[in-house]
Amino acid sequence: MTAHPPRRKTGGRQAQITVADIEREGLRLGLPNLTVNGVATALGVSPTALYRHVDGKAGLEALVGEAVLHDLQIVDDPADGIKAHLLSFAQQIREFVLGHPGLAGYMQGLFPRGEAGIRLQREAVEALGRRGYGPGAALMLSGGVAALAINLSAAEERHRPYFEGSHRRELEKVYALLANDGVLGGAQAELPAISGEAYFRMVMTACIRGLVTAAAPGRPVDDILSELGFEESPR
């Protein structure tokens, strides 16, 4: 994204900025580096000028995070059954999250926080509705799959420097510790090398199979929750 020159104060008065200006510079900085001071400096204004448009750091994160999520369009293949659809849903989330550093943390904090998040949830519910689910069960099922996909992607994002970057030596130390352990060394030797993508698919497949077994289309939400071990707290 092309940087824009900072706005300058003119005649002793604060330069005027818009929400679009803040969003643009926030996207340029990226979610991992997003701060009120950083955006204000990029725009050549004081942090106070931003507070007239966004509610502090949380409001700034929501503005930029929703702008990023606006580009996430989940493709729903009508030919996919429930399990295939949910796995594709999870994989599309992973690919998008890993392609946009910091987005996983934004989605983990509080979701949905704006229209883009609401749209994604609504479309997920509608996709399962076309496969026989009521709104409540569809929201619970898609929300559980999405939450696991986001959390696994966040962990993969954190681990990437150890597998691909400057922390590779630290990973080698861990492998050495495992190899020298009487129990873990043998266990580790039995396992094949698994890529991040393959591990994600394996865990998501197991989770989806379990959820769909408990949450069959048309089954009441209370029955699904009971099957999954939910117990309502006494009031």
Side-chain angles (χ1 to χ4, degrees):
M1 188 171 292
T2 303
H4 290 253
R7 294 171 179 263
R8 303 295 180 188
K9 297 180 181 180
T10 58
R13 300 177 62 183
Q14 182 71 58
Q16 296 299 308
I17 61 172
T18 67
V19 172
D21 293 327
I22 297 171
E23 180 183 296
R24 183 192 68 239
E25 291 304 320
L27 288 169
R28 186 181 65 81
L29 288 172
L31 284 166
N33 305 311
L34 192 64
T35 65
V36 171
N37 286 340
V39 174
T41 298
L43 290 171
V45 299
S46 69
T48 303
L50 265 66
Y51 292 134
R52 298 191 183 101
H53 300 280
V54 296
D55 185 15
K57 177 66 180 297
L60 180 60
E61 286 180 343
L63 176 67
V64 176
E66 292 303 300
V68 175
L69 281 176
H70 181 270
D71 292 334
L72 174 53
Q73 304 290 330
I74 300 296
V75 177
D76 176 17
D77 185 346
D80 283 344
I82 296 166
K83 294 176 184 177
H85 163 71
L86 288 172
L87 181 58
S88 174
F89 173 60
Q91 289 174 315
Q92 289 180 67
I93 289 175
R94 172 186 176 271
E95 182 178 353
F96 191 84
V97 164
L98 292 180
H100 296 80
L103 183 60
Y106 170 73
M107 297 176 78
Q108 284 176 313
L110 182 64
F111 188 85
R113 291 171 64 178
E115 180 52 38
I118 289 290
R119 171 186 59 81
L120 288 168
Q121 282 203 328
R122 181 176 61 248
E123 291 175 353
V125 168
E126 290 171 347
L128 286 175
R130 293 189 288 272
R131 292 170 170 83
Y133 285 90
L139 182 60
M140 181 178 66
L141 188 56
S142 61
V145 170
L148 181 56
I150 292 164
N151 288 333
L152 286 173
S153 300
E156 185 175 349
E157 183 178 62
R158 288 194 301 271
H159 293 160
R160 275 187 166 180
Y162 295 96
F163 288 90
E164 302 173 2
S166 58
H167 301 323
R168 177 73 189 185
R169 265 196 262 178
E170 294 302 315
L171 181 62
E172 298 296 339
K173 292 178 183 178
V174 172
Y175 286 155
L177 286 173
L178 290 171
N180 291 328
D181 186 272
V183 175
L184 297 179
Q188 184 74 12
E190 291 181 25
L191 298 176
I194 302 175
S195 67
E197 182 177 1
Y199 179 78
F200 178 89
R201 183 183 179 90
M202 180 177 66
V203 174
M204 290 305 315
T205 297
C207 172
I208 289 167
R209 286 177 181 173
L211 285 173
V212 171
T213 297
R219 191 176 190 188
V221 171
D222 287 346
D223 290 353
I224 297 172
L225 291 173
S226 177
E227 175 79 12
L228 295 173
F230 173 78
E231 295 181 4
E232 189 172 357
S233 301
R235 298 182 180 180

